[in-house]
Amino acid sequence: MRQDHLISAAQLSRDDVEAVLDRAADIDADPGAWRQRRAGSVLGLCFFEPSTRTRMSFDTAMKRLGGRTVDMGPVDSTSVKKGESLADTVRVVEGYADAIVLRHPLEGAAKMAAEFVDVPVINAGDGAGQHPTQTLLDLYTIRENAGLDDLTIGVMGDLKYGRTVHSLAEMLTNFESRQHFVSPESLRLPRSVRYDLHASGAQVREHTELAEILPELDVLYVTRIQRERFPDENEYRKVAGQYQIGPDDLADAKDSLTVMHPLPRVDEIAPEVDETPHAKYFEQAHNAVPVRMALLDMLLEGDRDE
């Protein structure tokens, strides 16, 4: 993979994706062999929105490669509160770090930031836009449990504001898959995402009920209804809690069904599902470390052959 930045899932070909996943598998198999791989490198963490898994896994990934991290910290304690622009912030951080991980509430923020710096920028979520590194660890989890070709995948929940969904749908077009999207009418995939999927020749169908397609699914990817993205609290209340699954709801599923969730969950997957063989969402979260280790290692290679 020869990329300066990772902003969108659309940047990555099938070969790019498989290169990252293959390296992640090598790391997973022998993590100790990678402990000094990026000794001396520094990763800048710039999170303008709350994060647990993404922030901590990038921090862990860099440290397990032998590098270090510098963290911007809470926005309220930074110069952003004084009116500093995003462009100025990343230009300052560029002087401290060899790569920057950026999460921001505005769609397109990572793309804009990448125009102002020469170090790699990794999009860790830009509003309701994209979250490509989440998709890489999602695909790693899918590959480990079900393979990546000839799959029927259902995605359920907030498809309008869910950036993990947008990236996953885009990256799945590199593989032989049938994509089913389940949501309330008000939270359907954005028109632009649907257009891109159809233009790529993807097999896509939309539904309002999970039951009609559940027996066909190899993978069920569940997302929460994202309250923080709704411009109107009343609109959120209309759909909150509509799409929930418990063990009984999976009675008609294949024994091999893989249930995933990017987390955090609220009430869309009952805790009882955790005890079933379908539940892979904590494994999915743990896979973030080897996958992000692989990605950081490859981006920091630059043009050097190693």
Side-chain angles (χ1 to χ4, degrees):
M1 186 178 74
R2 288 290 180 258
Q3 303 282 349
D4 294 326
H5 309 285
L6 181 56
I7 307 301
S8 166
Q11 289 176 242
L12 301 182
S13 67
R14 178 175 181 139
D15 286 346
D16 291 331
V17 172
E18 291 185 329
V20 176
L21 303 192
D22 287 346
R23 188 167 301 193
D26 290 343
I27 292 170
D28 222 358
D30 187 9
W34 300 78
R35 283 183 183 153
Q36 294 303 310
R37 176 77 170 181
R38 294 295 158 200
S41 294
V42 178
L43 180 66
L45 303 176
C46 297
F47 282 73
F48 289 75
E49 283 189 321
S51 172
T52 302
R53 281 154 296 281
T54 303
R55 185 198 294 263
M56 290 185 69
S57 61
F58 266 115
D59 185 54
T60 301
M62 192 62 190
K63 289 173 178 174
R64 287 191 177 172
L65 287 169
R68 294 171 295 151
T69 61
V70 289
D71 194 328
M72 183 181 81
V75 171
D76 285 350
S77 65
T78 71
S79 293
V80 175
K81 288 293 288 183
K82 302 175 185 177
E84 184 174 65
S85 69
L86 175 61
D88 282 0
T89 297
V90 295
R91 282 187 286 194
V92 168
V93 176
E94 177 186 24
Y96 310 145
D98 301 293
I100 297 171
V101 177
L102 175 66
R103 170 168 290 186
H104 200 279
L106 296 180
E107 189 170 341
K111 181 178 180 181
M112 186 276 286
E115 295 174 359
F116 288 90
V117 297
D118 292 325
V119 299
V121 172
I122 301 170
N123 183 3
D126 59 338
Q130 290 265 328
H131 196 349
T133 69
Q134 176 69 45
T135 297
L136 287 169
L137 70 93
D138 292 342
L139 292 181
Y140 185 78
T141 306
I142 292 171
R143 189 173 80 165
E144 292 294 295
N145 287 280
L148 281 174
D149 282 312
D150 193 27
L151 288 180
T152 302
I153 298 176
V155 184
M156 183 177 80
D158 181 354
L159 311 183
K160 180 177 181 179
Y161 299 111
R163 58 194 175 201
T164 61
V165 171
H166 305 161
S167 292
L168 179 61
E170 176 75 46
M171 221 176 279
L172 280 171
T173 63
N174 289 308
F175 301 90
E176 297 172 18
S177 64
R178 296 163 293 280
Q179 300 189 53
H180 294 267
F181 296 96
V182 183
S183 72
E185 284 289 335
S186 61
L187 293 178
R188 292 177 65 198
L189 283 171
R191 186 187 302 271
S192 60
V193 175
R194 295 201 306 272
Y195 177 85
D196 289 343
L197 291 176
H198 288 302
S200 71
Q203 299 182 52
V204 174
R205 291 176 59 196
E206 296 182 272
H207 314 265
T208 56
E209 299 296 334
L210 174 63
E212 63 189 71
I213 51 114
L214 179 62
E216 304 173 35
L217 300 183
D218 300 300
V219 176
L220 173 61
Y221 192 98
V222 183
T223 67
R224 71 185 173 91
I225 307 297
Q226 299 185 83
R227 185 174 193 164
E228 68 273 20
R229 304 282 177 217
F230 280 73
D232 185 335
E233 178 71 15
N234 290 328
E235 290 303 309
Y236 167 74
R237 289 176 181 158
K238 289 178 184 177
V239 296
Q242 280 192 23
Y243 288 77
Q244 300 174 337
I245 60 171
D248 291 345
D249 299 303
L250 299 176
D252 294 330
K254 294 179 180 179
D255 291 342
S256 58
L257 174 70
T258 295
V259 176
M260 299 171 62
H261 192 304
L263 302 177
R265 65 175 163 182
V266 182
D267 56 6
E268 57 276 4
I269 298 180
E272 291 77 15
V273 176
D274 301 355
E275 306 306 316
T276 72
H278 302 301
K280 301 297 181 182
Y281 26 89
F282 292 111
E283 173 187 325
Q284 179 184 356
H286 297 161
N287 286 338
V289 173
V291 171
R292 287 177 170 138
M293 286 175 70
L295 179 65
L296 288 170
D297 186 49
M298 295 171 82
L299 286 173
L300 289 169
E301 279 179 356
D303 294 325
R304 292 179 289 119
D305 292 323
E306 299 187 13

